[in-house]
Amino acid sequence: MEKREYSIYVVISRTGTLLSRVIGMISGGVYNHASLSLDESLSVMYSFGRLNAYNPVVGGLVKESPFFGTFKRFHGTEVIVYRVPVTRQQKEALETCLHEMYAERRRYGYNFLGLLAAAFGIYWQRENRYYCSEFVRDVLGWYSVLDAKRYYGIIKPEDFAAIPGAEPVYRGNLRKYAIGYQRMLPRVRLC
């Protein structure tokens, strides 16, 4: 069995937007969005969310960053960043998968109906449609980073804390994390 010497990052967040507060009320969670990054800088994260920072009803597969899009607009975004150990093969496969999915992003859409159904305790996954947590779960499950059977059904961003080996490396403001990383200064409020 290959040793897990590499890392990927699962970022759970709350922007404080009206939509995020509604999702939080429905899910009962503090954090209401999940993203996946291949590197510690979080300069590029993949998720299903708003295609335009000013329009919460048109969603799909997006690249996110603390410095553009929704997270730039909502600079008060709070996050928990989890480092997740992976093998070299898992990391390479994830990288290939994310790049290919993003290149074909028009094939995918946001699973608004699945998110609405989840509010009523109903699991409804649709082909090529995801909400953020479904996307992160499925991609990590495809490459055995997590046990997909354990996470089957309705999933919330905070459920990713239970990924085997997941280690919280930061809790606080996303923008401060990114700026601190860029400057190579000690990060604020480390876990």
Side-chain angles (χ1 to χ4, degrees):
M1 187 165 147
E2 187 180 356
K3 203 169 178 186
R4 293 184 176 213
E5 297 177 334
Y6 294 80
S7 298
I8 59 166
Y9 299 84
V10 173
V11 181
I12 63 172
S13 57
R14 70 169 177 263
T15 58
T17 64
L18 177 61
L19 182 60
S20 74
R21 290 193 305 266
V22 168
I23 292 170
M25 285 188 288
I26 291 169
S27 72
V30 174
Y31 295 88
N32 44 47
H33 185 67
S35 309
L36 189 57
S37 183
L38 297 170
D39 69 274
E40 188 177 16
S41 73
L42 309 182
S43 59
V44 175
M45 297 178 281
Y46 295 87
S47 189
F48 272 71
R50 299 171 179 222
L51 293 177
N52 179 311
Y54 294 91
N55 185 344
V57 295
V58 179
L61 178 58
V62 294
K63 282 186 180 179
E64 301 172 319
S65 167
F67 302 111
F68 63 80
T70 301
F71 291 137
K72 177 182 179 186
R73 180 170 180 228
F74 299 102
H75 52 82
T77 298
E78 294 292 311
V79 298
I80 301 176
V81 179
Y82 293 97
R83 179 180 346 185
V84 179
V86 294
T87 66
R88 181 178 56 80
Q89 283 85 1
Q90 286 172 318
K91 186 157 185 172
E92 289 172 355
L94 284 164
E95 183 173 13
T96 299
C97 172
L98 293 170
H99 289 291
E100 288 175 357
M101 284 184 78
Y102 191 75
E104 296 289 325
R105 65 189 171 276
R106 287 180 176 37
R107 292 182 49 216
Y108 302 97
Y110 195 88
N111 189 6
F112 286 107
L113 295 176
L115 186 61
L116 181 63
F120 295 99
I122 300 166
Y123 177 55
W124 186 14
Q125 189 166 21
R126 301 166 57 217
E127 185 175 350
N128 292 333
R129 300 279 184 263
Y130 298 92
Y131 56 83
C132 60
S133 298
E134 283 181 318
F135 167 71
V136 172
R137 179 211 42 220
D138 285 3
V139 169
L140 295 181
W142 295 337
Y143 301 102
S144 302
V145 175
L146 58 74
D147 179 3
K149 289 179 185 173
R150 179 175 178 208
Y151 290 87
Y152 179 79
I154 298 170
I155 186 160
K156 298 181 280 188
E158 290 165 316
D159 294 339
F160 295 114
I163 295 173
E167 171 190 5
V169 294
Y170 178 79
R171 180 186 308 262
N173 181 275
L174 176 61
R175 179 83 51 92
K176 287 181 183 176
Y177 175 93
I179 290 169
Y181 189 88
Q182 285 183 335
R183 293 182 182 161
M184 301 306 270
L185 296 173
R187 294 191 196 104
V188 226
R189 292 198 309 172
L190 291 175
C191 292

